[in-house]
């Protein structure tokens, strides 16, 4: 039995045919071009799905169900996307719109929920009862597993870790609130912190300091925006600004993780998203910082690991979500 999974991102629509064990049989993607009207994005989601099915020599009847992961607040029951800021969608009946073009059952949910489901079935959360996934990308996504199941909340909005308020009068967030966690611990936050720090240093430093820093081979050039990857690489090499900014970043991240531990006391927390490519360098620093701020210092607490499925977590999880829904319906 095969399932289709779509991971709808602000940049790309990724889709895959996935089998019952969570293995990808065939995958493909197409640009989202998110400023377009929703109907055009949906047409491309349908075309991509049909192309994948055709390329595998199959027909729609061979696919048990389609699952779609959305970067926003979704009601899985009604199939309505309540809010998807990256695609400028609001109250969009996505499930019904897809269903008019496709004969297989369609199920939609939040993308971080998909990733957590994939980690639960075939990744870092296998055989765990309680777990929290934190994806550190341009924003912060999150999902919570309780009792071995996704905890999506009474209104489908649980696990929005990126919008936990960590500073009462803090920076303005895209959601309209101030002081959200993702303003301090996302990849974008790291980049902002670095460019603010680098320009301050550039203007405040005297000429000799500038000369010295320019002669430092591990220094990365200022005056342009650096990616999170470049900043982390510079921090690994001991470049002073990058090191200081990375430490500040990890401090913010650790504070958020401590709140999550205080709230859920999960068995395990996995870090995913672009920042997680920093690997052990990130993990060691985060573990050390978290242990400093734990409420229960001398007791066992959540294991902190890297998510294992990377970019594919979203499509695998979307397909597995569809599989789960189909099985639930059959059991009723
Ligand atoms: Zn927010």
């Amino acid at each position: 039995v095969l399932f289709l999974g779509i991971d709808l991102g602000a940049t790309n629509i990724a889709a895959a045919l996935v089998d019952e064990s969570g293995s990808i049989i065939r995958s493909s993607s197409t640009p989202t071009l998110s400023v377009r009207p929703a109907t055009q994005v949906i047409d491309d989601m349908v075309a991509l799905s049909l192309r994948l099915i055709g390329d595998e020599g199959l027909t729609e009847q061979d696919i048990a169900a389609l699952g779609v992961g959305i970067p926003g607040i979704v009601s899985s029951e009604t199939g309505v996307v309540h809010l998807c800021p990256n695609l400028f969608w609001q109250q969009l009946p996505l499930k019904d719109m897809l269903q008019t073009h496709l004969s297989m059952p369609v199920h939609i949910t939040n993308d971080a929920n998909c990733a957590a489901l994939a980690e639960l079935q075939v990744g870092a959360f296998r055989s765990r009862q309680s777990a929290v996934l934190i994806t550190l990308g341009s924003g912060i996504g999150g999902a919570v597993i309780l009792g071995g199941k996704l905890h999506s909340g009474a209104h489908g909005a649980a696990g929005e870790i990126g919008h936990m308020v960590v500073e009462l009068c803090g920076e303005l967030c895209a959601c309209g609130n101030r002081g959200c966690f993702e303003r301090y611990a996302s990849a974008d936050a790291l980049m902002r912190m670095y460019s603010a720090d680098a320009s301050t240093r550039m203007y405040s430093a005297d000429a000799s300091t500038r000369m010295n820093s320019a002669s430092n081979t591990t220094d990365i050039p200022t005056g342009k925006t650096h990616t999170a990857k470049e900043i982390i690489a510079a921090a690994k090499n001991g470049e002073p600004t990058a090191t200081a900014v990375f430490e500040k970043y990890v401090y913010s991240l650790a504070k958020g993780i401590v709140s999550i531990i205080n709230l859920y006391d999960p068995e395990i927390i996995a870090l995913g998203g672009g920042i997680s490519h920093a690997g052990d360098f990130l993990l060691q620093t985060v573990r050390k910082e978290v242990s400093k701020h734990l409420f229960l210092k001398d007791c066992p607490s959540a294991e902190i690991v890297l998510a294992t499925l990377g970019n594919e977590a979203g499509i695998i999880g979307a397909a597995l979500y569809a599989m789960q829904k189909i099985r639930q319906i059959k059991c009723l």
Side-chain angles (χ1 to χ4, degrees), residues 187 190-191 194 220 224-234 275:
L190 176 67
M191 287 157 67
Y194 184 82
I220 49 178
K224 77 173 187 82
T225 310
H226 298 284
T227 63
K229 198 178 163 185
E230 288 170 337
I231 298 162
I232 291 168
I275 292 279

Side-chain angles (χ1 to χ4, degrees), residues 162-163 173-175 177 180:
H163 301 283
C173 177
C175 75
N177 253 337
C180 292

Side-chain angles (χ1 to χ4, degrees), residues 68-82:
V68 186
I70 307 291
I73 311 285
V74 174
S75 164
S76 299
E77 278 66 40
T78 60
V80 172
V81 177
H82 293 300

